[in-house]
Amino acid sequence: MAPTSETLTAERILEATEEVLRRHGPAKATVVDVARALGVSHGSVYRHFRTKAALREAVTKRWLDRSSEALAGIAAADRDPEARLRDWARGLFEAKRRKAGDDPELFATYSVLVGESGTVVGDHLDDLTGQLTRIVRDGMAAGVFAAGDPATAAGAFFRATACFHDPCHAARWAQPGIDEEFEAVVELLVRGLRG
């Protein structure tokens, strides 16, 4: 039996939207396609998301939040800041690489959506650099990293590792030697943080 608008939730709409985007791509996917996949009218979808842009932004936020949530646990862990920093950087790289490799069509779709979204990407990047700032601040407090401004150091670390997490570099993530390159960059940056 098809769901009704009474049982329709934002989460179910986002799941259906992801599947529609996977099938049709961002250029052809419509709210009507999402409604059809759910067995409801497009008006039912619009009751949860006022515009197509709002729906696309919400599905993009959901996708980006999956990475942030896993990394937040690493950032908040009560253990050696240097190990946390290395694990966090590796976690981000692995999450992005997994997304690009496991479902390249959906990754390409989200890359398009990320380019369209308003504040979602900025908020995601702020969240990630905030997590890094926490790790660096903890490292400075423990005397593991040299004194300085934690936010500045975290921002520099994030930008210096961009080729391992920015989707525009995704084609490189499957190349031979990329893991060794990643480790070398992180090692260089950690040594710099130690001062």
Side-chain angles (χ1 to χ4, degrees):
M1 182 174 170
T4 65
S5 60
E6 287 77 41
T7 62
L8 194 61
T9 64
E11 185 62 25
R12 291 194 62 226
I13 293 169
L14 294 176
E15 288 170 5
T17 302
E18 190 170 285
E19 186 55 39
V20 166
L21 286 166
R22 181 180 284 115
R23 255 183 310 185
H24 301 292
K28 295 183 181 177
T30 67
V31 174
V32 171
D33 294 326
V34 173
R36 189 175 299 122
L38 290 164
V40 299
S41 72
H42 66 280
S44 297
V45 174
Y46 282 125
R47 278 194 272 290
H48 290 271
F49 299 96
R50 297 177 67 78
T51 64
K52 178 181 176 180
L55 176 58
R56 289 165 75 111
E57 191 161 295
V59 79
T60 302
K61 180 181 183 326
R62 180 176 179 255
W63 185 68
L64 293 171
D65 285 351
R66 289 178 190 147
S67 298
S68 297
E69 290 166 4
L71 295 168
I74 296 170
D78 184 21
R79 59 190 192 91
D80 175 57
E82 185 176 315
R84 283 170 37 212
L85 181 63
R86 289 175 189 276
D87 290 350
W88 188 95
R90 171 59 70 184
L92 179 59
F93 180 35
E94 289 299 329
K96 296 293 179 145
R97 183 163 53 178
R98 198 169 33 256
K99 284 180 180 182
D102 290 353
D103 197 343
E105 294 83 13
L106 193 58
F107 186 79
T109 293
Y110 276 110
S111 294
V112 170
L113 294 181
V114 161
E116 294 175 356
S117 59
T119 62
V120 170
V121 174
D123 292 346
H124 173 68
L125 296 176
D126 288 347
D127 181 38
L128 293 178
T129 55
Q131 291 176 19
L132 267 177
T133 300
R134 177 179 184 169
I135 296 169
V136 172
R137 183 180 300 116
D138 290 352
M140 289 176 180
V144 175
F145 300 142
D149 178 47
T152 301
F157 185 96
F158 191 73
R159 287 185 299 279
T161 58
C163 63
F164 304 106
H165 55 78
D166 188 317
C168 73
H169 298 284
R172 295 189 57 226
W173 299 343
Q175 292 179 348
I178 193 70
D179 288 300
E180 293 79 9
E181 185 181 330
F182 169 80
E183 294 299 335
V185 169
V186 170
E187 180 60 32
L188 179 69
L189 295 171
V190 168
R191 278 199 315 256
L193 284 169
R194 284 189 211 131

